[in-house]
Amino acid sequence: MSAKELDVLKEKLLVMRQDIFHRLQQLDDGWQELAEKDIEFEEEAQKAELSELYAQLDEREKEEIEAIDHALDKMEALQYGRCEGCAKQIPMPRLQALPATRFCLACSARAEEERMVPPALP
């Protein structure tokens, strides 16, 4: 991977990170708006549903930031672009599409498959 390609991917990661923090700020503003509203009894269910959605989005955003920070750390350590499953170089088209990815396509599919298979009973 060339230095220019690495710089482009680093900039993309930084922009993604900034966008997430911006969305988190908007999310926080939404939480405050929900807290400030006087809600009638029939709207309580809707408020609960929105609160659950906000909580899920918040966790997902945190996971994305962690993945981006991990990729940036790997760049600093000159380990970026290597699959954490098989240690092979991740193809550039995959890195361009998913710059925070930790796995090549094959290892990613294998990890996803393992998450979907329920553990065996003892």
Side-chain angles (χ1 to χ4, degrees), residues 28 72 120:
D28 189 50
L72 292 169

Side-chain angles (χ1 to χ4, degrees), residues 74 79 81-91 94 101-111 114:
K74 287 180 75 169
Q79 297 295 317
R82 292 253 172 235
C83 176
E84 292 180 13
C86 65
K88 293 180 182 175
Q89 184 67 36
I90 299 170
R94 180 162 173 81
T101 190
R102 299 168 82 158
F103 300 102
C104 66
L105 187 58
C107 290
S108 179
R110 193 169 24 259
E114 288 172 5

Side-chain angles (χ1 to χ4, degrees), residues 10 28 33 49 57 59 61-62 64 67 69 97 104 106 121:
K10 184 175 184 177
D28 189 50
E33 185 179 319
E49 188 176 308
L57 290 174
E59 186 61 34
E61 302 282 328
K62 287 177 187 175
E64 287 181 49
D69 287 347
C104 66
L121 295 174

Side-chain angles (χ1 to χ4, degrees), residues 20 47 50 98 105 116:
I20 291 169
K47 179 183 175 187
L50 286 173
L98 301 167
L105 187 58
M116 295 176 72

Side-chain angles (χ1 to χ4, degrees), residues 3-4 8 18 25 36 48 52 68 88 92 117:
K4 183 175 178 156
V8 168
Q18 183 178 17
Q25 182 60 50
E36 293 170 359
E52 184 178 326
I68 290 168
K88 293 180 182 175
M92 184 56 69
V117 175

Side-chain angles (χ1 to χ4, degrees), residues 1 3-21 23 64-65 67-69 71-72 75 80 91-101:
M1 175 179 326
K4 183 175 178 156
E5 289 171 324
L6 192 61
D7 285 342
V8 168
L9 290 170
K10 184 175 184 177
E11 182 62 28
K12 190 172 186 176
L13 285 165
L14 292 171
V15 167
M16 288 170 59
R17 193 174 192 277
Q18 183 178 17
D19 288 345
I20 291 169
F21 278 115
R23 287 193 310 258
E64 287 181 49
I65 289 171
I68 290 168
D69 287 347
L72 292 169
M75 283 181 177
Y80 180 75
M92 184 56 69
R94 180 162 173 81
L95 290 173
Q96 289 169 334
L98 301 167
T101 190

